[in-house]
Amino acid sequence: MNFDDVSADIESVVLTPEEIAEGIARMAREIERDFAGETPLLIGVLKGAVMVMADLARELNIHVEMDWMAVSSYGKSTKSSGVVRIVKDLDISLEGRHVLIVEDIVDSGLTLSWLLENFSSRQAASVRVATLLRKPDALSVEVPIDYLGFDIPNDFMVGYGLDFAEAYRNLRGVGVLKPSVYKD
Ligand code: IMP
Ligand code: MG
């Protein structure tokens, strides 16, 4: 869906579909250069990374494989705790593989640091990270991001995979959700 369909809920447009496509293409050119001659294993973290994975993988002019993981943070808080439970594990072995984690957004970076540690213990040859979006808090922890689309402000955003209560993931762009939608 388009911004017009949810204009009552969106405070401001952060990224248009065209800007997202430009960012994805820029990341893809860097990834193609760095993985020349390899077949990287792209790993998406469900569900948010579905849109980035679909567009990034198609933009890449090299062979890739794709796999998916579903994780959930322990605890009820909306902020991730850093303690992660695997809900759906990978199907493909990481041993000897060049892995590229594909993320929609890195906020605190806690999920990502857990994944990096988990993947390196599975004997991957290398593990790199691509994320479309990064929030300011990610800069305060050690989260190595190899391919970045955009730095965005610390507002609550929806669209292009990002949800509020499972809604808005199918919005083509990214926008700031009006606080009136989630505060009543
Ligand atoms: P963290 O980097 O471990 O804090 O976790 C990042 C996760 O928090 C993402 O995968 C999203 O599920 C969620 N998240 C962070 N910021 C937003 C936002 O602005 N909108 C929607 N979800 C967000
Ligand atoms: Mg996510």
Side-chain angles (χ1 to χ4, degrees):
M1 66 189 177
N2 301 298
F3 286 116
D4 282 351
D5 301 306
V6 283
S7 56
D9 301 346
I10 299 296
E11 196 163 82
S12 61
V13 172
V14 178
L15 292 170
T16 64
E18 292 74 24
E19 288 167 328
I20 292 173
E22 283 168 21
I24 297 262
R26 175 163 43 78
M27 292 164 77
R29 299 295 85 81
E30 295 171 25
I31 293 165
E32 285 166 357
R33 186 197 61 208
D34 292 355
F35 290 88
E38 310 280 353
T39 298
L41 175 58
L42 310 186
I43 297 180
V45 183
L46 296 169
K47 305 170 199 171
V50 166
M51 307 298 172
V52 191
M53 178 72 105
D55 286 341
L56 179 65
R58 283 178 294 179
E59 184 63 30
L60 285 168
N61 297 317
I62 55 171
H63 285 291
V64 300
E65 292 175 20
M66 284 174 254
D67 204 353
W68 300 93
M69 214 164 148
V71 299
S72 87
S73 299
Y74 281 108
K76 278 193 183 149
S77 150
T78 50
K79 279 276 163 193
S80 57
S81 59
V83 185
V84 171
R85 185 171 61 92
I86 297 175
V87 175
K88 183 228 167 281
D89 206 349
L90 301 168
D91 298 323
I92 301 174
S93 164
L94 297 192
E95 207 179 324
R97 296 303 304 267
H98 293 286
V99 169
L100 180 62
I101 301 175
V102 176
E103 269 283 27
D104 49 349
I105 186 167
V106 177
D107 182 7
S108 71
L110 289 169
T111 312
L112 187 55
S113 12
W114 186 90
L115 281 174
L116 284 167
E117 197 160 316
N118 183 278
F119 288 178
S120 61
S121 74
R122 302 197 210 186
Q123 275 87 51
S126 66
V127 184
R128 285 185 231 189
V129 177
T131 185
L132 181 68
L133 307 171
R134 176 172 66 184
K135 281 190 170 178
D137 281 352
L139 297 169
S140 58
V141 276
E142 269 311 306
V143 272
I145 292 172
D146 301 281
Y147 310 98
L148 174 67
F150 304 94
D151 274 308
I152 53 163
N154 210 6
D155 300 310
F156 192 79
M157 320 247 173
V158 292
Y160 201 72
L162 298 175
D163 73 305
F164 170 65
E166 297 298 327
Y168 307 99
R169 289 194 201 273
N170 61 325
L171 176 61
R172 291 179 192 273
V174 173
V176 176
L177 192 62
K178 280 188 183 164
S180 57
V181 177
Y182 53 89
K183 287 182 190 138
D184 45 16

